[in-house]
Amino acid sequence: MSNSPHFITIYPMDELRLIAPCHFGLESVLKREILSLGFEIDNVQDGRVTFKGKEDAVPRANIFLRTAERILISVGEFDALSFEELYQETRALPWEDIIPKNAKFWVKKASSVKSKLFSPSDIQSIVKKAMVDRLSEKYGITVFPEDGDEYPLRVFINKNKVTLGLDSTGVSLHKRGYRKKQGAAPIAENLAAALILLTPWKGDRILIDPFCGSGTFLTEAAMIAANMAPGRNREFTAETWDHLIDKKLWYRAADEAESLINMDIDCDIQGYDIDGDVIRVARENAANAGVSELIHFQERPVSGLSHSGKYGFIITNPPYGERLNEKEELKRIYSELGEAFKRLDSWSLYVITSFDDAEKYIGKKAGKNRKIYNGMIQTRFYSFEGPKPPRRTLDRIRRQQA
Ligand SMILES: C[S@@+](CC[C@H](N)C(=O)[O-])C[C@H]1O[C@@H](n2cnc3c(N)ncnc32)[C@H](O)[C@@H]1O
């Protein structure tokens, strides 16, 4: 057994270490969100940000973070070079303080990077066995009823350092609940929010998505503009863990989220798509999210894109064309986007795509591009940043909209 210390970070509940996985490449946006909620960052690694908070951080992080995938409570961290060490260190943790006798508990997922232990299924079964053995001994039972609340666990091993994280979220955070239907290749809600937050767009500037599909970018943007928390209308696994998180903290976070919403704003957020059916879906989704009054949707091809305003933003996810026969079509679509962008002088354009020739057909070199994984697809987020509006123009826009 190793001599490495294991941190039992779940107790005391006023010193929690929380782990928030996110899309690779977007850790900086999540970090900013966590800081603005008032929590202290512990560390940032590829695809996840760890931060510190008290008991109330669990409801608040789940309800308010737009770009995280889920919120895990770190139960233990230790080194393990063998399955025996993994078993002993896991068994040494006070699971009986966390997991009630009748709980359903399982190891939902294990991942390992640059470590001696690498088989996810073996890691999952050893950790589960250690938990079962500890709880059997403490509760004096061998058969667990498993008819109570759920306690899913996730295991990360990075350079032989094991982190055991209790999943407080359940269904992942990108599922806000408003997207009941979707188009052919919808972007994840938390990825859309992160990309918007990477740009300088604010609710008082024009925003258009000319390939809006089910309307994800625009619904997320309207929620940002109205200061509407993404998790306000959904449930979380940890809501039933009354012995760990006081129920009133969930109510308090939900009340805080409601009190912050401001629908009394004047936005110019518009979505177009060539497919009329998907436009109807986008309208339904925006209505489900409670922001339909902030977005104008219309069936329109990208070739017809225009706007009389200045200094607007296009943030979009055009077709990627994964199939070979779609390549010619893609060239035309990206050229049409480029032509429209040329007409919209003073505007900024942000495009996420896996189409390698995007810049070539848009007809402009991006100021920046960032590698991002959209699920399993490697994409780039191209930024064609336009000029900043002169101070006086921005003040006028804001006055008109106030
Ligand atoms: C990758 S999907 C966008 C998905 C969207 N971000 C979402 O979350 O649902 C691309 C969209 O472009 C639309 N499209 C394809 N060709 C178009 C064109 N010429 N003009 C406008 N929209 C087009 C498709 O109908 C499809 O909805």
Side-chain angles (χ1 to χ4, degrees), residues 179 183 185-187 209-217 272-275 278 300-302 317-319 329 332-333 336:
R179 205 164 70 186
I187 191 162
D209 179 355
F211 302 97
C212 73
S214 38
T216 319
F217 272 119
Y272 308 129
D273 200 286
I274 201 165
D275 178 348
V278 91
R300 187 193 281 193
V302 67
N317 165 212
E329 173 84 352
R332 185 180 56 74
I333 289 175
E336 287 174 355

Side-chain angles (χ1 to χ4, degrees), residues 2-13:
S2 89
N3 296 323
S4 63
H6 44 253
F7 305 107
I8 305 164
T9 47
I10 198 147
Y11 278 104
M13 288 298 285

Side-chain angles (χ1 to χ4, degrees), residues 286-302:
N288 294 337
V291 292
S292 53
E293 67 198 76
L294 303 179
I295 313 173
H296 170 74
F297 288 107
Q298 198 184 328
E299 181 181 333
R300 187 193 281 193
V302 67

Side-chain angles (χ1 to χ4, degrees), residues 35-60:
L35 286 172
S36 71
L37 276 183
F39 304 126
E40 187 189 333
I41 301 292
D42 189 71
N43 69 69
V44 179
Q45 287 172 287
D46 283 350
R48 67 183 209 251
V49 180
T50 304
F51 60 103
K52 293 182 188 166
K54 300 187 196 317
E55 199 179 331
D56 70 315
V58 178
R60 290 188 72 235

Side-chain angles (χ1 to χ4, degrees), residues 334-347:
Y334 283 77
S335 303
E336 287 174 355
L337 173 62
E339 287 303 314
F341 182 46
K342 245 184 252 160
R343 294 193 294 273
L344 293 164
D345 80 288
S346 82
W347 280 51

